Amino acid sequence: CAWKPRRPVAARRAADGSVSGRVVWVDRFGNLVTSIARADLPRARRLAGDVGGRRVEGLERTYAGAPPGRPFWIWGSGDRLEVSLREAPAARVLEVRSGCAVRVWSGR
């Protein structure tokens, strides 16, 4: 996933309805912050996808509401889609870092 952006990374919608982006940074808790904004998936209630080749399912409203040990999607404070793990750093457990590809779809 080695990658150095030269300009801002925008999410892209594919013909199949999925949205692709990148992990743009890892926060101090190990959450994977992506380039996918809430506006890119405005009506999403359920999400599935992959990050760095690892499968992630479930859109949670809070960290406490997520089951322990399972990676999940959550909207971060900056309205960016994040991958997180309850009580563990997602970046370390999933072995994913900044620059890794992200693809997500809703409603499946």
Side-chain angles (χ1 to χ4, degrees), residues 41-89:
L41 294 162
R43 293 179 287 283
R45 300 268 189 265
R46 294 181 300 179
L47 291 178
D50 54 65
V51 57
R54 306 299 286 274
R55 181 74 170 193
V56 179
E57 294 187 19
L59 177 62
E60 300 293 338
R61 293 181 64 171
T62 65
Y63 294 98
R70 183 181 59 83
F72 61 92
W73 303 100
I74 191 166
W75 293 110
S77 59
D79 272 347
R80 295 284 173 187
L81 193 59
E82 298 181 11
V83 176
S84 187
L85 266 166
R86 182 175 161 188
E87 302 170 10

Side-chain angles (χ1 to χ4, degrees), residues 19-36:
V19 176
S20 297
R22 295 272 182 186
V23 174
V24 291
W25 77 83
V26 177
D27 72 11
R28 66 187 181 113
F29 301 106
N31 298 316
L32 304 166
V33 182
T34 76
S35 61
I36 300 171

Side-chain angles (χ1 to χ4, degrees), residues 1 20-23 50-54 96-103:
C1 298
S20 297
R22 295 272 182 186
V23 174
D50 54 65
V51 57
R54 306 299 286 274
V96 173
R97 61 180 184 228
S98 294
C100 288
V102 176
R103 187 172 70 100

